[in-house]
Amino acid sequence: MATPDQKSPNVLLQNLCCRILGRSEADVAQQFQYAVRVIGSNFAPTVERDEFLVAEKIKKELVRQRREADAALFSELHRKLRSQGVLKNKWSILYLLLSLSEDPRKQPNKALPRDAHSTPYYCARPQTLSLSYQDRSSQSASGAASVGSSGVSSLSVYAVNGLAPTPQSLLPGQPHHAPGVGDCLRQQLGSRLAWTLTANQPSSQTTTSKGLPNTVSRNMTRPRREGDAGGAGEVTEAALVRDILYVFQGIDGKNIKMSNTENCYKVEAKANLSKSLRDTTLRLAELGWLHNKIRKYTDQRSLDRSFGLVGQSFCAALHQELKEYYRLLSVLHSQLQLEDDQGVNLGLESSLTLRRLLVWTYDPKIRLKTLAALVDHCQGRKGGELASAVHAYTKTGDPYVRSLVQHILSLVSHPVLSFLYRWIYDGELEDTYHEFFVASDPAVKTDRLWQDKYTLRKSMIPSFITMDQSRKVLLIGKSINFLHQVCHDQTPTTKMIAVTKSADSPQDAADLFTDLENAFRGKIDAAYFETSKYLLDVLNKKYSLLDHMQAVRRYLLLGQGDFIRHLMDLLKPELVRPATTLYQHNLTGILETAVRATNAQFDSPEILKRLDVRLLEVSPGDTGWDVFSLDYHVDGPIATVFTRECMSHYLRVFNFLWRAKRMEYILTDIRKGHMCNAKLLRNMPEFSGVLHHCHILASEMVHFIHQMQYYITFEVLECSWDELWNKVQQAQDLDHIIAAHEVFLDTIISRCLLDTDSRALLNQLRAVFDQIIELQNTQDAIYRAALEELQRRLQFEEKKKQHEVEGRWGVTAAEEEDENKRIQEFRESIPKMCSQLRILTHFYQGIVQQFLVLLTTSSDDSLRFLSFRLDFNEHYEAREPRLRVSLGSRGRRGSHT
């Protein structure tokens, strides 16, 4: 129970009425009863803060003043104002303009309505436009009977400015300002109707001198809204308006029908219409054609599951826009029905005219044209390609169209962004209809996961995602799957990446599109850097990727000099044998011995156990030198960098370097032979010419091989390796390491003359190597013959000394004759030896000259510079005219540059 100090709301309200009116409680009983009913009702506020509602009132006032052109101009200016963010309280500005335009002498009607004691009537929710004409003549009586309780009350309740006038103010003979019928409907829809003007009609009618509204005085004699007037076949504007409302929905009217041959709406030829009305009707009918075009596309695609999630989102966006379009049609039809109910009895002229419909449907027509253009442009597209097609229409200078397309794009791109965030944060790819720009091949095995399993569908990359961003997106998800499936690292993604909010809804996608340059790119970059860094850390720390790269450099590229030299010394007795007599386990034992005897023993056991011997395919006549090769076994994540193709390239490079190293080894043995045998053969002066010839030819070969070794070791291997190592240290992802490694291999393959373009050079170089081996064999044969001759001579002298010691003649005449004969035969064989060396020198120099000619015409600068070093004293240039021409031409070209 309320205390004396506490008053009930009824008492407070009654006191308020007494204070405002300055009367006693008995005198304000009627007003108090009305105030109670107002507070307990759902009345709209006197002034609703609705920007669209105020704008519509301004346009309605302009139309009332017969200023339709100004109304259209105001609609366009207001549309542009809405797209700008300069003004925040647009409603206040519009309301101020509306207030300033009102007549200050006009006194607001504050009289209370006489029906305040009854329950207010609320308009029913507008229904959709009926699909057929209805004969309303049977409703005239009921309409007349209900005008006071239904139509008039609804207008009174939904009036916007001030309290509603009394129902009697609508009766003929009394001046009044009739509230617009559309105000009722605006109260129902409010600001939700974003399509266009709702029912914009005059809020008041000018009165005649007799006190009647102009419309009433002009139309008092017209009993029905759509009655046929004038002569036979004449169609009234009211009938055209009703037809147009049907056409707006794609339904043929009585006088306007769809022409299938011309694919447009046509007015019946028998209809008696002026040219202006016919043209206006056709312009309005275009909305129906646009509606049909959009509706046909959505009906066909909505049930097509293969259209994918992006396509279904596009259809949903079109449905949403059509739904707003249908709201407008519902408002127009509801107004038409209300005017029919009231116009039949009061004889009021309709506020729905063709010219007003042109104004009110201006914005919807722009929207439908944009949607129809999108439908045409998106034909045959799906997934990311469809999103790109929609995004292309955002590049327009019209902010109104851009806003519409951006809204549709936010809905269309939501599935794409959902795919994207699922991929970069979870590594999961659920793309049933192949809409995402990342494609997966389930047939690819784990060992080729990085190279072949995931690829980019370039046609599905949305245009708002750059190629660099799409590559990063591919790498992020690929890295996550590589860690899980190949590295067997089950670390949760949340520990690798600081997962941020994704596009969980179309609104999130719309917010994301407003900041593509920062927010979206920031998310992609953050996930890319964090995932790639984690993957590289796992490869380097857990799988020792960098250590394996250095091991391949030391062993397969002959970087470990002491090991390679000792291995050659140990293998020489084995490799000189025929290749068919070699056994791999014997060679493996020698390899282990070489490892234990050199600095290679300090390498990690994980590296040494991967080092092995490999025998190539044996051809007839091959020796062990031709088939021997080192091998390095790789598996697991390391095999992603050192693929089978890469290891085959390493094998080719090793064979080339091994052969070049063998040439150096052979020439070292030849020089050793020179130094050792020169002292032994001093007592054979006739043999000095042969020794000199051998020494000169060997010196030429040593110079050639030293320059080639310098070129291969420093200009090719060391420089390329330094570039590779720097790129690997700076690599941001695994793809960068793989790309740098492939460039390294391609470079050494090319500069070591192992590519297809250098086949002629390689053949000449191998011919030079063959001549070195031939020199070794020839020199061994010459030295062997010379040493045998020397041994016999020493034995003969020793025999003579022995006989003298024994007191006998040193030799008999027969023995001395045999000795002289043998010496003579040896001396006669010396010219033959010299001839062999001259022939060998001629062949060798011819091959080198041809090799130099090829070098000078090479496109590689390093190879051309190599030709300078090989012929530093122009020894070969003097013998080869072609070489002189090539060198001269090259010099002239260099001087011009």
Side-chain angles (χ1 to χ4, degrees):
M1 178 181 294
T3 62
D5 295 335
Q6 296 176 340
K7 297 182 179 180
S8 65
N10 290 339
V11 174
L12 294 175
L13 182 62
Q14 188 175 26
N15 292 341
L16 179 62
C17 292
C18 293
R19 184 177 294 273
I20 292 174
L21 298 176
R23 301 177 185 177
S24 63
E25 294 183 359
D27 295 335
V28 298
Q30 184 178 1
Q31 288 80 356
F32 169 68
Q33 182 182 6
Y34 178 72
V36 170
R37 291 186 177 274
V38 168
I39 291 177
S41 70
N42 291 327
F43 280 152
T46 302
V47 178
E48 183 177 355
R49 292 180 175 271
D50 189 335
E51 174 190 348
F52 296 98
L53 185 61
V54 177
E56 290 163 9
K57 291 189 65 177
I58 294 175
K59 285 181 277 191
K60 180 181 66 175
E61 179 64 21
L62 293 173
V63 173
R64 184 189 67 79
Q65 298 174 9
R66 301 296 188 222
R67 296 167 59 188
E68 287 83 356
D70 291 342
L73 178 60
F74 175 81
S75 177
E76 175 66 16
L77 293 175
H78 180 236
R79 180 173 64 82
K80 294 181 178 179
L81 178 65
R82 285 192 337 230
S83 63
Q84 304 297 325
V86 179
L87 296 178
K88 293 184 178 180
N89 299 320
K90 300 183 182 67
W91 173 86
S92 302
I93 301 298
L94 294 176
Y95 187 72
L96 173 63
L97 294 176
L98 178 63
S99 301
L100 292 176
S101 67
E102 292 179 352
D103 187 357
R105 295 171 298 177
K106 175 182 175 182
Q107 296 297 325
N109 188 356
K110 296 184 179 180
L112 292 175
R114 295 186 181 181
D115 59 346
H117 62 277
S118 61
T119 303
Y121 173 81
Y122 299 98
C123 287
R125 183 181 180 89
Q127 303 298 317
T128 57
L129 190 60
S130 58
L131 302 181
S132 61
Y133 291 108
Q134 296 180 1
D135 185 4
R136 306 191 59 84
S137 59
S138 60
Q139 302 178 9
S140 299
S142 60
S146 62
V147 67
S149 60
S150 170
V152 177
S153 295
S154 63
L155 294 175
S156 302
V157 172
Y158 287 98
V160 176
N161 296 323
L163 295 175
T166 59
Q168 285 76 6
S169 66
L170 290 174
L171 297 177
Q174 299 184 13
H176 73 288
H177 297 279
V181 179
D183 294 342
C184 165
L185 301 172
R186 273 198 301 275
Q187 292 291 343
Q188 299 169 34
L189 298 178
S191 60
R192 296 178 57 194
L193 187 55
W195 260 86
T196 181
L197 311 175
T198 52
N200 293 331
Q201 67 285 333
S203 58
S204 61
Q205 301 288 348
T206 58
T207 58
T208 63
S209 59
K210 297 181 180 181
L212 291 175
N214 268 346
T215 56
V216 176
S217 63
R218 288 196 306 266
N219 297 284
M220 284 295 289
T221 58
R222 192 179 65 168
R224 295 181 59 194
R225 170 189 174 90
E226 56 178 302
D228 293 334
E234 182 180 357
V235 181
T236 64
E237 185 175 1
L240 289 176
V241 168
R242 182 176 292 277
D243 271 3
I244 283 296
L245 292 183
Y246 282 99
V247 170
F248 283 169
Q249 297 182 94
I251 303 172
D252 288 350
K254 286 184 178 179
N255 303 293
I256 308 172
K257 298 185 182 298
M258 184 69 183
S259 173
N260 294 327
T261 57
E262 300 183 27
N263 191 26
C264 64
Y265 280 99
K266 289 285 188 180
V267 180
E268 290 288 337
K270 62 183 180 180
N272 186 8
L273 284 177
S274 65
K275 186 177 185 302
S276 62
L277 280 181
R278 186 179 295 271
D279 292 343
T280 305
T281 302
L282 293 179
R283 288 173 61 188
L284 287 170
E286 186 180 354
L287 268 78
W289 183 87
L290 295 171
H291 165 271
N292 291 351
K293 186 181 188 65
I294 301 167
R295 186 61 181 268
K296 179 181 179 181
Y297 179 85
T298 57
D299 290 345
Q300 289 176 347
R301 291 296 190 175
S302 295
L303 301 178
D304 185 6
R305 298 192 62 182
S306 63
F307 197 33
L309 297 179
V310 177
Q312 296 300 326
S313 297
F314 181 53
C315 290
L318 294 178
H319 276 301
Q320 181 178 338
E321 295 298 327
L322 287 178
K323 181 179 178 182
E324 293 300 322
Y325 175 68
Y326 293 148
R327 286 174 183 262
L328 171 64
L329 299 187
S330 177
V331 169
L332 294 176
H333 184 62
S334 298
Q335 181 173 344
L336 186 65
Q337 289 179 328
L338 287 173
E339 290 186 354
D340 282 347
D341 290 341
Q342 297 160 14
V344 166
N345 299 282
L346 300 179
L348 296 175
E349 184 185 61
S350 171
S351 64
L352 289 177
T353 64
L354 294 180
R355 294 188 64 187
R356 287 172 181 169
L357 283 179
L358 275 177
V359 175
W360 296 337
T361 58
Y362 178 78
D363 285 350
K365 189 172 183 180
I366 293 177
R367 297 178 78 92
L368 289 183
K369 279 186 175 180
T370 304
L371 297 180
L374 280 176
V375 166
D376 282 337
H377 192 54
C378 295
Q379 288 288 349
R381 304 174 190 265
K382 61 181 290 187
E385 189 179 9
L386 176 60
S388 297
V390 176
H391 180 255
Y393 273 76
T394 62
K395 300 174 183 179
T396 175
D398 188 340
Y400 181 71
V401 174
R402 183 168 61 248
S403 175
L404 168 64
V405 179
Q406 284 178 343
H407 171 67
I408 295 176
L409 181 61
S410 66
L411 298 176
V412 169
S413 61
H414 179 244
V416 176
L417 296 178
S418 298
F419 289 143
L420 187 146
Y421 286 120
R422 187 82 176 271
W423 172 250
I424 66 174
Y425 291 134
D426 300 324
E428 298 179 3
L429 190 62
E430 296 182 2
D431 186 14
T432 308
Y433 302 107
H434 308 297
E435 302 172 89
F436 194 40
F437 56 84
V438 175
S440 173
D441 186 356
V444 175
K445 296 182 179 179
T446 306
D447 60 338
R448 297 291 300 176
L449 182 144
W450 189 270
Q451 287 84 359
D452 301 329
K453 189 173 181 66
Y454 301 106
T455 55
L456 282 178
R457 290 193 191 100
K458 293 186 178 181
S459 62
M460 290 296 172
I461 299 178
S463 55
F464 51 83
I465 297 179
T466 64
M467 182 59 69
D468 181 62
Q469 288 174 341
S470 62
R471 187 188 70 85
K472 290 180 179 179
V473 169
L474 172 66
L475 286 177
I476 294 168
K478 190 162 62 171
S479 298
I480 295 174
N481 285 281
F482 185 80
L483 284 167
H484 292 168
Q485 300 180 36
V486 181
C487 298
H488 306 291
D489 186 309
Q490 301 303 324
T491 303
T493 311
T494 52
K495 292 187 178 180
M496 304 181 210
I497 311 173
V499 180
T500 56
K501 180 184 177 184
S502 61
D504 295 329
S505 67
Q507 183 58 40
D508 296 331
D511 295 340
L512 190 62
F513 276 107
T514 61
D515 198 10
L516 275 177
E517 292 298 323
N518 296 315
F520 180 73
R521 184 174 62 183
K523 288 183 179 182
I524 299 299
D525 290 346
Y528 163 73
F529 286 123
E530 293 172 9
T531 306
S532 300
K533 182 178 181 299
Y534 185 84
L535 173 59
L536 294 182
D537 288 343
V538 169
L539 289 176
N540 291 330
K541 295 177 181 178
K542 185 177 179 180
Y543 294 97
S544 306
L545 173 61
L546 299 182
D547 293 340
H548 288 294
M549 294 183 72
Q550 291 180 330
V552 170
R553 168 71 179 95
R554 288 198 301 271
Y555 297 114
L556 296 189
L557 300 182
L558 312 188
Q560 190 77 23
D562 60 333
F563 166 77
I564 297 300
R565 179 68 188 187
H566 190 60
L567 181 63
M568 278 192 166
D569 291 337
L570 297 177
L571 286 174
K572 183 178 179 181
E574 290 288 330
L575 297 184
V576 296
R577 296 162 50 189
T580 54
T581 62
L582 297 180
Y583 295 97
Q584 187 165 353
H585 61 275
N586 294 337
L587 300 178
T588 303
I590 295 175
L591 174 65
E592 294 174 355
T593 303
V595 169
R596 289 193 298 269
T598 60
N599 287 330
Q601 62 182 313
F602 302 110
D603 272 338
S604 168
E606 175 67 21
I607 291 175
L608 294 177
K609 74 178 183 180
R610 296 176 181 270
L611 191 61
D612 197 4
V613 171
R614 179 176 180 177
L615 294 178
L616 305 180
E617 186 177 352
V618 178
S619 299
D622 283 348
T623 63
W625 291 105
D626 299 319
V627 298
F628 175 82
S629 177
L630 288 180
D631 195 12
Y632 194 83
H633 299 293
V634 290
D635 54 14
I638 303 302
T640 301
V641 178
F642 297 98
T643 60
R644 294 178 182 176
E645 294 82 2
C646 291
M647 297 312 295
S648 66
H649 290 328
Y650 274 115
L651 181 60
R652 292 180 60 197
V653 176
F654 174 83
N655 290 331
F656 174 78
L657 298 177
W658 182 255
R659 177 170 289 195
K661 183 64 73 172
R662 181 193 172 196
M663 296 302 108
E664 184 181 3
Y665 188 79
I666 290 173
L667 289 174
T668 302
D669 288 346
I670 291 176
R671 295 298 295 268
K672 279 189 199 176
H674 288 166
M675 296 175 65
C676 296
N677 296 324
K679 293 181 180 180
L680 295 175
L681 299 175
R682 282 178 183 175
N683 297 325
M684 299 176 64
E686 70 275 14
F687 198 70
S688 60
V690 177
L691 291 177
H692 179 72
H693 208 148
C694 286
H695 178 74
I696 294 297
L697 181 56
S699 296
E700 284 190 41
M701 293 180 174
V702 167
H703 170 71
F704 183 89
I705 292 300
H706 281 178
Q707 293 301 322
M708 288 300 302
Q709 282 286 14
Y710 175 86
Y711 166 76
I712 294 170
T713 303
F714 294 100
E715 295 191 15
V716 177
L717 295 180
E718 287 300 329
C719 293
S720 301
W721 173 258
D722 185 65
E723 292 180 5
L724 169 64
W725 191 253
N726 289 334
K727 289 180 181 179
V728 168
Q729 295 293 332
Q730 299 171 4
Q732 296 179 345
D733 57 55
L734 183 56
D735 262 356
H736 287 167
I737 294 179
I738 293 175
H741 184 242
E742 290 178 351
V743 170
F744 168 73
L745 276 178
D746 291 341
T747 301
I748 62 176
I749 287 284
S750 174
R751 293 194 172 182
C752 288
L753 313 179
L754 299 177
D755 58 341
T756 55
D757 296 336
S758 305
R759 190 176 298 276
L761 278 169
L762 182 61
N763 291 336
Q764 293 298 318
L765 185 59
R766 286 176 176 173
V768 171
F769 291 166
D770 292 339
Q771 294 302 310
I772 294 174
I773 297 174
E774 185 65 25
L775 173 62
Q776 182 190 34
N777 296 333
T778 302
Q779 181 175 283
D780 287 346
I782 292 175
Y783 281 158
R784 192 164 45 249
L787 291 175
E788 288 177 358
E789 177 64 23
L790 179 61
Q791 185 66 26
R792 292 191 185 99
R793 291 184 184 186
L794 291 177
Q795 288 176 358
F796 182 75
E797 292 297 330
E798 185 67 27
K799 184 178 179 180
K800 286 172 61 176
K801 290 180 181 181
Q802 184 67 26
H803 287 178
E804 288 176 357
V805 172
E806 293 176 357
R808 296 184 298 166
W809 292 100
V811 291
T812 63
E815 289 176 344
E816 187 173 2
E817 184 180 355
D818 291 340
E819 179 67 15
N820 293 333
K821 183 179 180 180
R822 183 181 55 76
I823 292 175
Q824 185 63 30
E825 290 177 355
F826 175 75
R827 289 174 178 173
E828 291 176 354
S829 67
I830 290 177
K832 182 179 179 181
M833 296 178 186
C834 291
S835 297
Q836 290 180 347
L837 291 174
R838 283 195 295 269
I839 292 173
L840 183 60
T841 302
H842 177 75
F843 283 152
Y844 169 76
Q845 290 182 347
I847 295 171
V848 172
Q849 290 166 12
Q850 181 63 30
F851 183 73
L852 289 175
V853 170
L854 293 175
L855 285 180
T856 56
T857 58
S858 173
S859 59
D860 191 343
D861 291 340
S862 60
L863 291 177
R864 292 202 299 270
F865 293 148
L866 175 61
S867 69
F868 279 113
R869 295 199 299 272
L870 290 175
D871 191 25
F872 71 98
N873 58 359
E874 299 182 355
H875 171 74
Y876 298 103
E877 181 181 348
R879 289 174 166 79
E880 176 56 57
R882 292 180 301 167
L883 190 59
R884 284 199 299 273
V885 173
S886 297
L887 290 173
S889 301
R890 181 184 58 192
R892 286 193 297 273
R893 288 196 300 269
S895 63
H896 290 311
T897 58

